[in-house]
Amino acid sequence: MINKEDNFFLLAGPCAIEGEDMAMKIAEHIVNITHKLNISYIFKGSFKKANRSRVDSFTGIGDEKALKILQKVGQTFNVPTVTDIHQVSDAAMAAEYVDVLQIPAFLVRQTDLVVAAAETGKVVNLKKGQFMSPESMQFAVQKVFDSGNEKALITDRGTMFGYQDLIVDFRGIPTMRKFAPVVMDVTHSLQQPNQSSGVTGGRPDMIETIARAAIVNNADGLFIETHFDPANAKSDGANMLHLDLLEGLLTRLVAIRKTINEF
């Protein structure tokens, strides 16, 4: 489901499911690219957004409606899908529609949530808390294993640096690979949270820098949020990659991985 020999895999899609047409358009575009480049692909889209700065922030189009769109994407393009969950009851509900359940970084220490995801039998993608060391992620992974599920991923999305910035410590990739395959969340690690406006900022100009460094340091996968109109995306537009730039980026990253594999 995840790895193709000698290449990284990709979790990519919009931050949130805004509607069926946009999800299908983005998925089709990425499927064509990843097929061409021999990259295993998992479509990503949040069925709801619970971690918002303001009460008037976009949270979703309706749980069941969004989950059915994720299911349709998976069935139409024959790709696995991933969405994040926020409470124990989300696990069983989302597991009926998607293949990978993602635990948000702020919630990765919530034992009941991690266990509920693991007990569905789905792959569990554990986002490293912005406040956690790479070494501490072994305990989150162990919760999945102790629940009878051996299918865990760890995704690094940066570490808090002051109040309004994140940094990526690339020493964490080899450390966390001892526990589970490691994904680098390229776009969320470039967020600039806690802005005075209540709207998270970002540095999309640094996406390729972070992605290149992750590939050089043997990340198993990449996580990239992308949209055909980031400026008007309903969630996290400030740090998303424009869909038109994805093929060039992935082409360069595949070439880097091929070079690294020769050593």
Side-chain angles (χ1 to χ4, degrees), residues 46-166:
S46 296
F47 76 95
K48 67 178 176 183
K49 301 301 296 183
N51 296 333
R52 303 288 87 190
S53 296
R54 301 183 345 192
V55 73
D56 61 347
S57 296
F58 175 79
T59 58
I61 59 173
D63 294 357
E64 187 175 10
K65 183 177 181 180
L67 286 168
K68 285 183 175 179
I69 291 171
L70 282 162
Q71 184 180 55
K72 183 173 181 178
V73 167
Q75 293 173 342
T76 301
F77 299 107
N78 193 30
V79 294
T81 54
V82 55
T83 198
D84 37 350
I85 61 173
H86 301 87
Q87 53 191 6
V88 170
S89 60
D90 288 345
M93 176 177 65
E96 294 184 18
Y97 299 92
V98 303
D99 305 284
V100 182
L101 299 178
Q102 182 168 284
I103 308 299
F106 283 121
L107 300 175
V108 75
R109 285 177 53 88
Q110 297 296 106
T111 299
D112 288 351
L113 183 62
V114 173
V115 170
E119 288 180 343
T120 67
K122 300 292 185 175
V123 177
V124 180
N125 184 27
L126 301 157
K127 287 284 195 82
K128 185 185 82 65
Q130 302 94 323
F131 46 86
M132 293 172 65
S133 69
E135 290 81 3
S136 65
M137 285 302 294
Q138 65 183 298
F139 303 110
V141 172
Q142 194 61 48
K143 290 176 185 178
V144 177
F145 293 168
D146 288 345
S147 301
N149 186 338
E150 295 295 317
K151 296 176 289 187
L153 304 173
I154 302 173
T155 294
D156 191 348
R157 52 138 312 145
T159 301
M160 288 301 298
F161 186 75
Y163 291 115
Q164 295 177 322
D165 207 359
L166 297 161

